[in-house]
Amino acid sequence: MLLLCFFIGRIYQSEQGPPLHRWHTWSADEMSPDEIDHASFAGYLSREEAIFRDMRLNLDNRLSEDEKTAINRFNARSPVYPAHFHTDWNRSFVLMPQGAPKGIAVLLHGLTDSPYSMRYLAEDYQQKGFIAVVPRLPGHGTAPGSLTRVNWKAWLATTRLAVREATRLAGSPLPLHLVGYSNGGALAIKYALDQLDDPALPAPQQIVLLSPMVGVNGYARFAGLAGWPAWFPAFARTAWLSVVPEYNPFKYNSFPVNAARQSWLLTQALQSQIVQQSRRGKLAALPPVLTFQSITDATVSTAAVVNALYRYLPRNGSRLVIFDINQAANISALFRAALPSATDRLLPKAPRSYATVVITNATPATLHASARLTPAGSAVEQVEPLSLSWPQDMFSLSHIALPFPLNDSLYGLHPSVVNRYGISLGAMALRGESASLNVGPETFMRATSNPFFDDMMTRINQHIACSQQADYASCIDALP
């Protein structure tokens, strides 16, 4: 009886929302996990090209007149139409360094995202002499309907494929760095854990994580139930948790039930494997993990990063960088009571097996930032002033802000080229009555770029530099 009431409520709730469009019902013909495991990267790119060709024919070219709005990413006449840009960052890409490569990096984007979010890190690795391989994970970069059919095992198979391609391009064994953002972070850790049991997989030397998806909201566990009524065509809308306009050229705005379900399944597999490998004593062979995480994150669980990952890591040079809230924000009276002390409550008491860095205000009254470093195995905190400051009106970072500098043309607070991709989302400041919009007001309130991006890259580059040292472990352990 309760289940029936749930379904009736779910159907009623979904029917109150906007109707589905062609981009919600069209889905890409992606490779299966087994096909990916037996494919070459060239074969994967060939399938990718066929997918985009099919999308143009059966989605973009078949929009109704009322769907051809000015900022619909599927409208060929829209300024946000990805195929118009010099580079369509929805596609997989590879960056080769000048001269002989010094290492290889595989960079994995997040859920509903695209390779665009890995652009800056990939270019940095290229400049440091690395081959950078950035795959488009199945179900992404095309239309949100593609996420209704994909599963996390296809994403993990694509991770293995990207490592195979990077290794092939290198021609000889080179240091491997895995870089993962959000869902891509979960995939990077999962690959490293799998490698501990499978020596045939190339072993990573370093893992770099941005807003990693180690844990998600508990509702995701039951997301599959929420979509059951969609088996009946009349209730197809229940397969979606949100249906909103698609105005972002490199990220989906609509979110299907299956995406939430797959994220939960992946994190459950990941957390279980971390515990198992810890009990077996195998985590001693895990490479150093460098993580950047906002203390406030509405997409993934910040606490899970500490309690489900870092608590199990050996003392191997791993480091956790936490971006605190802006303690000097002039809206402190509006903060939830627990927020100002959230970072102190998050971290277990020192000494810890890993180093921590907390990026926060130099004093509660100034926007200038400092870094509070506690080395692994120490209870003594060191404070280093930074030459960076909080923007006046930004009270925290967010899940989506970390990979983007303030001058990013799409997400930046101060875009270097306004509307380079048809819209500059990070610089938009809408004012009006909230009920007038068909997206939630939080959509344009969330921070979309990182004022501490340069400091983050400096810390990543320190780890890249250690790759070239004979004693990598000692180099990592000696980092400030």
Side-chain angles (χ1 to χ4, degrees), residues 107-165:
L107 302 99
L108 306 164
H109 65 75
L111 187 63
T112 74
D113 203 3
S114 73
Y116 182 75
S117 62
M118 293 287 93
R119 169 190 175 183
Y120 295 99
L121 280 82
E123 290 172 347
D124 183 76
Y125 267 97
Q126 178 193 34
Q127 292 167 7
K128 300 301 184 295
F130 277 59
I131 298 169
V133 178
V134 187
R136 178 196 62 86
L137 298 175
H140 294 81
T142 54
S146 298
L147 284 180
T148 63
R149 294 177 55 187
V150 76
N151 66 71
W152 69 268
K153 293 182 178 180
W155 303 333
L156 189 59
T158 305
T159 302
R160 294 189 291 266
L161 171 63
V163 172
R164 291 200 304 272
E165 177 64 4

Side-chain angles (χ1 to χ4, degrees), residues 337-422:
L339 198 53
S341 60
T343 299
D344 292 333
R345 290 183 293 101
L346 170 73
L347 295 172
K349 186 177 180 180
R352 297 176 281 265
S353 62
Y354 51 93
T356 61
V357 180
V358 178
I359 307 298
T360 189
N361 304 77
T363 71
T366 179
L367 295 173
H368 298 299
S370 66
R372 292 162 37 197
L373 166 67
T374 305
S378 172
V380 179
E381 183 179 87
Q382 306 166 14
V383 180
E384 174 193 358
L386 301 179
S387 59
L388 300 169
S389 300
W390 278 100
Q392 179 68 51
D393 296 328
M394 187 180 292
F395 60 85
S396 79
L397 294 190
S398 73
H399 178 80
I400 59 177
L402 271 61
F404 306 106
L406 292 181
N407 65 351
D408 178 74
S409 293
L410 180 60
Y411 296 114
L413 184 64
H414 307 296
S416 58
V417 180
V418 176
N419 295 338
R420 170 181 284 173
Y421 300 112

Side-chain angles (χ1 to χ4, degrees), residues 287-307:
V289 181
L290 172 63
T291 299
F292 299 88
Q293 176 67 44
S294 173
I295 189 64
T296 57
D297 193 314
T299 302
V300 303
S301 169
T302 298
V305 174
V306 174
N307 299 325

